Amino acid sequence: MFADADFEVALDQALNAVFFNAGQICSAGSRLLVEDGIHDRFVEALRKRILKIRLGDGLDPLTQMGPLISAGQRDQILTMIAGAVEQGATLLAGGTIAEQFERGFWLRPTLLGSVRADMRIARKKSSVR
């Protein structure tokens, strides 16, 4: 993300790239590189938007994100998040199970900061289980 990008459009596209289809497509974005001059402002705006994502039934037109495909997938992602935090990443949003649902494999939309290229989460994508 460069400083001369349309800020609001860039936010929309970043959210769509990561959270559309609950990240369950092979082209889902998992990393954002943000120019230093807008980094803090962009990350904070992204964090605020992530916290507002409405989880719910995919048949409800107000739903913005549904559950993950399986308990195994959810647990693998939780393990990757915990490992990233142990390696020094900062959990900025989400990263926890959404407990308000009785059924399904729910995970709150997650944003990590301070991820380095040498961290496992930056090198390995999760695989569907």
Side-chain angles (χ1 to χ4, degrees), residues 19 50-51 53 55 65 68 74 77-78 81 93-101 105-111:
F19 298 109
I50 287 170
L51 293 173
I53 291 174
L55 302 178
M65 192 170 118
L68 294 169
R74 182 194 57 208
I77 294 168
L78 285 168
I81 292 167
T96 59
I97 293 172
E99 301 285 352
Q100 71 265 35
F101 300 99
F105 310 109
W106 298 90
L107 184 65
R108 294 184 193 290
T110 302
L111 177 63

Side-chain angles (χ1 to χ4, degrees), residues 80-92 112-116 119 121:
M80 291 177 74
I81 292 167
V85 171
E86 286 174 13
Q87 290 184 310
T90 306
L91 183 59
L92 301 173
L112 293 168
S114 302
V115 175
R116 299 181 318 271
M119 292 179 175
I121 200 159

Side-chain angles (χ1 to χ4, degrees), residues 7-123:
F7 195 84
E8 293 301 318
V9 170
L11 277 174
D12 288 342
Q13 294 304 314
L15 284 166
N16 187 48
V18 177
F19 298 109
F20 188 73
N21 289 327
Q24 296 182 69
I25 53 174
C26 53
S27 63
S30 60
R31 295 156 183 84
L32 285 173
L33 302 175
V34 183
E35 188 174 341
D36 284 342
I38 62 165
H39 179 272
D40 292 349
R41 178 176 162 234
F42 189 85
V43 170
E44 179 58 17
L46 188 62
R47 185 187 74 77
K48 286 179 180 176
R49 298 265 298 266
I50 287 170
L51 293 173
K52 293 179 181 177
I53 291 174
R54 186 173 186 272
L55 302 178
D57 184 330
L59 298 176
D60 180 344
L62 297 177
T63 292
Q64 295 173 305
M65 192 170 118
L68 294 169
I69 195 164
S70 68
Q73 182 68 21
R74 182 194 57 208
D75 295 345
Q76 181 181 29
I77 294 168
L78 285 168
T79 298
M80 291 177 74
I81 292 167
V85 171
E86 286 174 13
Q87 290 184 310
T90 306
L91 183 59
L92 301 173
T96 59
I97 293 172
E99 301 285 352
Q100 71 265 35
F101 300 99
E102 291 181 28
R103 295 183 50 196
F105 310 109
W106 298 90
L107 184 65
R108 294 184 193 290
T110 302
L111 177 63
L112 293 168
S114 302
V115 175
R116 299 181 318 271
D118 65 322
M119 292 179 175
R120 182 174 188 269
I121 200 159
R123 294 181 286 117

